[in-house]
Amino acid sequence: MEKEQIISGLRAIVGEEQVLTNESSLLEAAKDYIGFRRYERCDGKYFVNRAACVVKAKSTQQAADVMAFLHQNKVDVVPRTGGSCVTLGLEPVEGGVILDLSEMNRLLEFNPTDMLVRAECGMPLEALEKQMNEKGYTTGHFPQSLPMAQVGGLVSTRSIGQFSPLYGGIEDLVGGLEAFLPEGEITRIKNVPRRSVGPDLRHIFIGGGGSFGVVTEGTLKLFPYTPETRWMGAYGVKGMQNGLDLIREIMVKGYKPAVVRLHDPQEVERLFGGICPEGYSLLLLLAEGPASITKAIGEAVEEIVSKYEVIPMGRKPVEHWLIHRNDVCQTLDSDERYRLHLVADTCEISANWSAIGKIYDAVVTRMPQEMENLAFIGGHSSHSYVQGTNIYFTFGFIAKDDVKTVREDYMKLVSVIMEETLRFGGSIAHHHGSGKYRTQWMPQEHGSSYRLMNIIKNAVDPEKIMNKGVLFVD
């Protein structure tokens, strides 16, 4: 279908003012915050495909009608809400369409009896959380992108929050949802505590990255909001593996602090001003809930850490982290790193306890050997379970003279993380979603089950127009 035909057909559905074709709107809607794209933009380069247009939908029915038109005419589409993606998940196919649902931002229902809140996909999480806090509740979901993120994107990327050891990831917090399929058919999955009526169909959309359909509404669980009863503690721990062993003991014994973060010595030096002795990691812990529970968790943690070589550091490091944990959202478009010729970013993976330390050691050992322009490599564990944890690698390298080499160097570095994670049996993505930059490793990640995912894709989206390049190798 020709570009002008696409634009004309969409304007007939939603109106002329809701179909944007100017260059600035196309670039803004396709913006991704992955490290090399940020660097390229600071250099004035936009190495991204241009969509034919951006369509702003204002209701589920309107969005579904747009989708039906695109499906009928086999036009590629990328759904978008908050735009905080860091994995190339929003970049369109050349000449495709970006379907922007950020103006579908209403809070639809607050149900304190069932402890649920229902909102449209474009509802900003920060605004939703603030409204719930004022009523004495919390969603329990605090991703670092909190000031930018919206409900639909959080569901679609299978996001996780900084208080996940207590509340879980978005998959644990979503009750029901509304979505539409590539043909434009609206489907609803109801809100109940649990069902035993076949596979859990929510998970076609949770983490699908817009590959199977578009989330238009989500119902999130609520919890009592009790910040006044929090217990906090910070500890310097010698080495990274000792810290991982300590976290494992806390989790395996059944304690559930809301925050469990272990920053390696490199991050302690770079992010916390070296407040620990050389070679020490920094463990941050926070418990919240009823006072009796937080008191018990605090006492149990103190007993466990006493068996390790630790330096008690009180509450202040945790309080400092709480204040500054989302500062990165204010500096994503800063050119400070560009002026230093520095490309910096993160990459999060997960593994069981028996493998996670091996992955960390392998990456931080191999990276300097293979990247002569490496500026730093470090990481932290921030989401722990009884069976294992994640490592959120943080890295930076010095860009060469030609900005076109930035992506190549970036992917060389990411390849080390992917290869070592797969070698030890971990998962190559913990919570940012696959996006497009991880897709080449999907066959290895899924193994024999990758065929099943392709079968589902072929059944749901036979024209393969939904967010092409995410999850599926073309």
Side-chain angles (χ1 to χ4, degrees):
M1 198 175 193
E2 295 296 324
K3 176 179 176 179
E4 292 307 317
Q5 291 177 299
I6 295 172
I7 294 170
S8 175
L10 292 172
R11 283 176 172 164
I13 297 171
V14 301
E16 185 170 351
E17 71 283 357
Q18 289 173 236
V19 180
L20 310 179
T21 60
N22 58 298
E23 178 83 347
S24 60
S25 294
L26 298 180
L27 293 177
E28 182 64 27
K31 183 188 288 186
D32 192 285
Y33 289 102
I34 197 167
F36 68 84
R37 287 293 192 228
R38 297 201 306 267
Y39 191 89
E40 291 169 356
R41 288 197 295 271
C42 287
D43 197 62
K45 307 296 192 304
Y46 292 84
F47 300 129
V48 295
N49 294 325
R50 277 20 175 212
C53 61
V54 178
V55 184
K56 287 186 169 289
K58 295 189 176 181
S59 70
T60 296
Q61 188 59 60
Q62 193 176 74
D65 290 344
V66 167
M67 192 68 246
F69 170 82
L70 297 175
H71 179 268
Q72 181 181 357
N73 293 285
K74 301 180 182 180
V75 178
D76 292 297
V77 59
V78 174
R80 179 188 191 278
T81 51
S84 60
C85 187
V86 293
T87 62
L88 303 185
L90 297 178
E91 294 191 358
V93 172
E94 187 73 29
V97 168
I98 296 174
L99 177 55
D100 188 326
L101 302 110
S102 59
E103 293 185 8
M104 293 172 54
N105 54 18
R106 295 178 301 159
L107 195 161
L108 300 171
E109 179 184 5
F110 166 59
N111 187 331
T113 301
D114 294 338
M115 298 294 282
L116 296 170
V117 60
R118 184 165 60 94
E120 288 184 313
C121 57
M123 180 75 187
L125 180 60
E126 188 173 52
L128 178 61
E129 178 66 18
K130 183 179 179 181
Q131 290 184 52
M132 293 301 101
N133 290 171
E134 291 170 352
K135 299 176 183 295
Y137 300 92
T138 178
T139 64
H141 198 58
F142 304 99
Q144 192 174 39
S145 60
L146 179 67
M148 305 169 67
Q150 297 175 3
V151 169
L154 295 168
V155 174
S156 296
T157 57
R158 203 176 182 90
S159 79
I160 205 163
Q162 295 154 334
F163 286 43
S164 68
L166 176 61
Y167 298 108
I170 197 72
E171 69 275 16
D172 304 299
L173 299 172
V174 172
L177 56 81
E178 177 188 82
F180 56 80
L181 300 174
E183 293 182 2
E185 179 184 354
I186 300 170
T187 183
R188 295 191 63 88
I189 301 173
K190 63 184 177 182
N191 299 305
V192 289
R194 188 179 188 275
R195 293 200 289 173
S196 180
V197 289
D200 191 339
L201 298 178
R202 293 175 306 166
H203 293 281
I204 292 177
F205 305 102
I206 298 175
S211 291
F212 304 102
V214 181
V215 175
T216 52
E217 184 183 300
T219 300
L220 302 181
K221 300 174 185 177
L222 293 174
F223 306 88
Y225 181 55
T226 56
E228 69 281 357
T229 61
R230 286 172 174 168
W231 171 90
M232 303 180 204
Y235 303 87
V237 187
K238 192 169 185 179
M240 192 64 170
Q241 188 60 57
N242 281 333
L244 292 171
D245 292 342
L246 200 164
I247 293 174
R248 179 188 177 278
E249 185 168 350
I250 293 171
M251 302 306 294
V252 168
K253 287 189 173 179
Y255 299 106
K256 284 193 172 185
V259 175
V260 183
R261 299 180 68 87
L262 179 69
H263 294 266
D264 74 356
Q266 292 88 343
E267 286 199 350
V268 172
E269 180 64 32
R270 191 167 51 82
L271 302 178
F272 293 90
I275 63 173
C276 297
E278 185 177 350
Y280 273 68
S281 298
L282 178 63
L283 178 62
L284 305 178
L285 296 160
L286 179 152
E288 73 173 22
S292 58
I293 292 178
T294 61
K295 181 175 182 292
I297 290 175
E299 291 173 351
V301 165
E302 289 169 358
E303 181 181 350
I304 291 171
V305 301
S306 67
K307 299 185 295 183
Y308 292 78
E309 190 174 344
V310 303
I311 302 172
M313 305 186 73
R315 296 168 53 99
K316 286 188 177 180
V318 186
E319 292 171 342
H320 180 270
W321 171 80
L322 277 172
I323 293 170
H324 297 286
R325 58 194 166 126
N326 299 325
D327 285 358
V328 67
C329 292
Q330 312 305 321
T331 60
L332 282 172
D333 288 315
S334 169
D335 68 350
E336 181 180 358
R337 288 173 173 168
Y338 172 74
R339 287 186 275 110
L340 297 171
H341 303 287
L342 179 67
V343 182
D345 212 345
T346 64
C347 181
E348 22 64 62
I349 59 92
S350 66
N352 295 333
W353 291 116
S354 58
I356 194 69
K358 296 174 184 176
I359 295 171
Y360 170 82
D361 288 341
V363 170
V364 298
T365 299
R366 182 179 164 191
M367 198 80 72
Q369 297 172 353
E370 300 191 16
M371 293 286 294
E372 61 181 17
N373 53 335
L374 185 72
F376 62 85
I377 176 67
H380 58 266
S381 166
S382 48
H383 306 280
S384 292
Y385 314 87
V386 173
Q387 291 75 29
T389 190
N390 80 311
I391 293 291
Y392 201 112
F393 287 105
T394 53
F395 55 82
F397 63 91
I398 302 302
K400 300 170 185 174
D401 292 337
D402 186 354
V403 72
K404 290 183 178 179
T405 67
V406 167
R407 178 171 187 160
E408 179 182 342
D409 281 351
Y410 183 98
M411 292 308 299
K412 183 192 301 183
L413 189 152
V414 166
S415 294
V416 172
I417 299 173
M418 300 292 99
E419 289 165 10
E420 295 302 329
T421 299
L422 290 168
R423 181 162 74 96
F424 288 103
S427 174
I428 62 173
H430 178 261
H431 61 266
H432 282 161
S434 165
K436 297 180 179 72
Y437 89 126
R438 284 185 171 110
T439 298
Q440 63 183 293
W441 290 283
M442 284 298 121
Q444 293 167 269
E445 167 73 17
H446 289 280
S448 59
S449 65
Y450 194 52
R451 179 176 177 272
L452 176 58
M453 197 157 71
N454 274 274
I455 290 172
I456 297 172
K457 173 70 171 178
N458 291 334
V460 174
D461 181 24
E463 303 297 341
K464 294 184 171 60
I465 62 171
M466 300 297 301
N467 212 355
K468 190 170 289 180
V470 170
L471 291 177
F472 299 95
V473 178
D474 293 337

